Amino acid sequence: MHSKNDWFILGAGAIGSLWAVSLKESGQACYAITKSCARDKYAEKQFTLKENREKITVPIQCVSADQIDHPIYKLIVSVKANDAVEAIKSIKYALEENATVILLMNGMGFQHEIHKLLKDQHIWTGSTTDGAWKEAPFSVNRAGRGITWLGHTKKIPAKNPLPFIPRLDVALCDDIDMKVWYKCAINGIINGLTALYQCKNGGLLSCNQRRQRLKRLADECTSLLRKKAVPVTENLFEMSLSVIKKTANNFSSTLQDAMKGKPTELQWINGFLINEAKSLGMQLYAHEELMIELHSMNIY
Ligand code: KPL
């Protein structure tokens, strides 16, 4: 039986699978909307999560976007930035008015399209420092436990839309836009370099040259944020070092995509930062250099 409390997770990548397992483990009804279940409507798949030395497996029903046969009241969107708008369009027919939608995606510059699509829904933005990578379909490895900030897009003081989920650290936040800027900057500092050096996050601290590149990227982000009047209360370089240390054993999402030969999200991360800077008459040399190097390796 389906209910208004059922959670649907759109996109079973690393973060989507982590959330699906965590919700299910805490007793919530949860479905994954994935491409890989095209023929098998609501087929049960065993989702596995590895965290530290623990390994848990929970059954989760999967459905493809065109086969949802009951209204969605609670949706978590964890697809790639490149696919976000199309993925939401594909399930919109099943989405209730006033549904709760939580966006959990890296990058910036595409959210306004989603807001246009979801005028009747309550949109929450999530920004996470969790580090997770997909080992195989339906199998995720959580390499670093982070925190997920959640803010209502219209900044209305609303009740936390999530139940208590012991495995996830979720906190409400009044200024989610600032967190999203910070997250985009942190990803812009870390992710492209891991793809360039083909290393886990921790590998970025292996020599001075890499640290210097991190510092240059961070300094440019700080200048851009200041120019955008985003309060820079924290040192972005120090923040990225701390994220790197906490997720040292993780393959960044960008490196995961690059290793699979898939398009990365960098156009919504560094690409977005570079364009924002340009529109303000600034140039982010270190970010531009990095993108050119990555393009010469066929990483887009
Ligand atoms: O968000 C990440 C990503 O890989 O996209 C970090 C925090 C860098 C963890 O790997």
Side-chain angles (χ1 to χ4, degrees), residues 65-127:
D66 56 343
Q67 291 188 322
I68 304 163
D69 56 9
H70 57 283
I72 300 177
Y73 292 89
K74 295 177 181 210
L75 176 74
I76 292 170
V77 185
S78 49
V79 291
K80 292 279 169 199
N82 303 334
D83 305 327
V85 173
E86 286 311 309
I88 291 175
K89 279 186 188 161
S90 72
I91 56 95
K92 198 170 168 232
Y93 71 96
L95 201 56
E96 273 295 297
E97 262 185 34
N98 289 321
T100 296
V101 179
I102 300 179
L103 305 177
L104 273 185
M105 283 160 300
N106 275 342
M108 290 177 81
F110 55 90
Q111 285 83 352
H112 61 282
E113 288 290 328
I114 298 179
H115 293 175
K116 271 198 254 162
L117 275 174
L118 304 181
K119 289 211 175 78
D120 302 325
Q121 284 77 21
H122 290 283
I123 309 182
W124 290 78
T125 300
S127 175

Side-chain angles (χ1 to χ4, degrees), residues 27-42:
Q28 301 294 315
C30 150
Y31 299 88
I33 309 172
T34 69
K35 286 190 194 126
S36 38
C37 296
R39 266 182 248 141
D40 241 352
K41 192 167 159 184
Y42 293 103

